[in-house]
Amino acid sequence: MAADRKKPWQISSLGRHDEGVRERRRVLIVCEDTKSSRLYFRAFNIDPERAEVLTVGTGINTDSLVEEATRRKARATAEHRPYNQVWCVLDRDDFPLTNYERGFELARNAGIHMAWANEAFELWYLLHFNYHDTGISRNDYKGKLKSFLPMPYDKADPGIYQKLLSHQPTAIRNARRLERRWIEMGERFPHRRNPSTRVHKLVEFLNELIELGAA
């Protein structure tokens, strides 16, 4: 992390950098699925006195997901309880490219962060153990994870965060490496590529909120 980079709690809801600011943060995470990613992000041990993180699983796809996040963001602002950050977590899966792309366009226009995994969220889990830069079908993740986990992978496992936590630094390094690969190749739309992910950006942000609670 760069020495001059501000922590999440040093950035006001209006985007100003104010040293020493310690207001309670409000973060919304809207997940495409109701199991794996939602259960994973709910498990982050964030001090509720310092940061309120609402994780919602919707069971809807790409552009509809971003539309839901946009509605929730607007409603919170209208109620004078704005979110400091809003994130959407989604897979590529087999959704039509037009819907997938529209989701990213809507997010850019609404100021919503995207934490995607192409093809599936389980790519993030696999990066805890190995670096991958060749395409993987979403149907193959379960089998690949089997050799690393103490029991068969279950996307509804509420304990998956703790089981993977000791390997999280490896996952972040591997995800950054994969991200650099697409940048170095001049890829303008890395979210279209299998494999690709920006889940690590949200994980890094939440880890900083955990640090806030310990400060």
Side-chain angles (χ1 to χ4, degrees), residues 51-62:
E52 173 192 359
V53 177
L54 176 63
T55 309
V56 182
T58 64
I60 55 179
N61 63 21
T62 54

Side-chain angles (χ1 to χ4, degrees), residues 101-164:
E101 287 295 331
R102 182 171 181 267
F104 280 84
E105 181 180 354
L106 291 172
R108 285 191 294 270
N109 293 336
I112 291 173
H113 301 272
M114 298 287 265
W116 79 81
N118 189 344
E119 280 194 359
F121 186 74
E122 283 76 12
L123 170 64
W124 168 245
Y125 295 160
L126 198 58
L127 290 173
H128 284 68
F129 306 101
N130 288 121
Y131 172 73
H132 289 270
D133 60 11
T134 56
I136 306 171
S137 166
R138 66 186 183 281
N139 298 319
D140 295 335
Y141 286 107
K142 186 174 181 179
K144 289 183 177 295
L145 287 168
K146 182 179 180 180
S147 60
F148 299 114
L149 298 174
M151 59 188 65
Y153 170 66
D154 178 3
K155 69 183 303 176
D157 179 5
I160 191 67
Y161 170 83
Q162 287 297 333
K163 291 174 182 176
L164 297 175

Side-chain angles (χ1 to χ4, degrees), residues 8 11 24 26 35-36 38-39 71 73 88 94 97 99 122 137 141 143 152 194 196 203 209 211:
I11 303 174
R24 190 167 184 258
R26 297 193 74 231
K35 294 179 181 178
S36 56
R38 182 180 67 90
L39 293 173
R71 284 192 292 269
K73 180 182 180 181
C88 283
D94 57 356
L97 182 60
N99 297 83
E122 283 76 12
S137 166
Y141 286 107
N194 176 9
S196 65
V203 170
L209 291 182
E211 290 179 18

Side-chain angles (χ1 to χ4, degrees), residues 10-202:
Q10 293 174 327
I11 303 174
S12 75
S13 59
L14 297 178
R16 295 187 301 270
H17 295 269
D18 302 313
E19 294 294 341
V21 172
R22 290 293 186 272
E23 79 272 19
R24 190 167 184 258
R25 316 301 293 170
R26 297 193 74 231
V27 179
L28 174 65
I29 303 172
V30 184
C31 300
E32 174 192 36
D33 66 84
T34 60
K35 294 179 181 178
S36 56
S37 62
R38 182 180 67 90
L39 293 173
Y40 179 81
F41 286 115
R42 285 184 64 181
F44 278 72
N45 187 26
I46 295 170
D47 183 352
E49 294 299 318
R50 290 296 185 92
E52 173 192 359
V53 177
L54 176 63
T55 309
V56 182
T58 64
I60 55 179
N61 63 21
T62 54
D63 51 345
S64 298
L65 178 80
V66 180
E67 288 173 346
E68 174 65 18
T70 302
R71 284 192 292 269
R72 287 174 177 264
K73 180 182 180 181
R75 184 164 63 243
T77 300
E79 293 172 353
H80 305 291
R81 299 179 68 243
Y83 291 107
N84 298 94
Q85 288 201 19
V86 177
W87 289 78
C88 283
V89 181
L90 71 158
D91 297 343
R92 172 64 177 94
D93 280 343
D94 57 356
F95 296 121
L97 182 60
T98 52
N99 297 83
Y100 187 63
E101 287 295 331
R102 182 171 181 267
F104 280 84
E105 181 180 354
L106 291 172
R108 285 191 294 270
N109 293 336
I112 291 173
H113 301 272
M114 298 287 265
W116 79 81
N118 189 344
E119 280 194 359
F121 186 74
E122 283 76 12
L123 170 64
W124 168 245
Y125 295 160
L126 198 58
L127 290 173
H128 284 68
F129 306 101
N130 288 121
Y131 172 73
H132 289 270
D133 60 11
T134 56
I136 306 171
S137 166
R138 66 186 183 281
N139 298 319
D140 295 335
Y141 286 107
K142 186 174 181 179
K144 289 183 177 295
L145 287 168
K146 182 179 180 180
S147 60
F148 299 114
L149 298 174
M151 59 188 65
Y153 170 66
D154 178 3
K155 69 183 303 176
D157 179 5
I160 191 67
Y161 170 83
Q162 287 297 333
K163 291 174 182 176
L164 297 175
L165 184 57
S166 64
H167 300 279
Q168 191 185 97
T170 299
I172 292 173
R173 285 196 301 271
N174 285 334
R176 288 174 177 171
R177 180 181 171 188
L178 183 59
E179 185 178 37
R180 285 196 304 271
R181 178 178 187 267
W182 294 120
I183 292 173
E184 290 166 358
M185 291 180 66
E187 176 56 66
R188 293 178 56 204
F189 307 103
H191 59 276
R192 297 180 182 177
R193 297 299 185 177
N194 176 9
S196 65
T197 185
R198 286 198 77 199
V199 170
H200 61 293
K201 297 294 188 181
L202 176 53

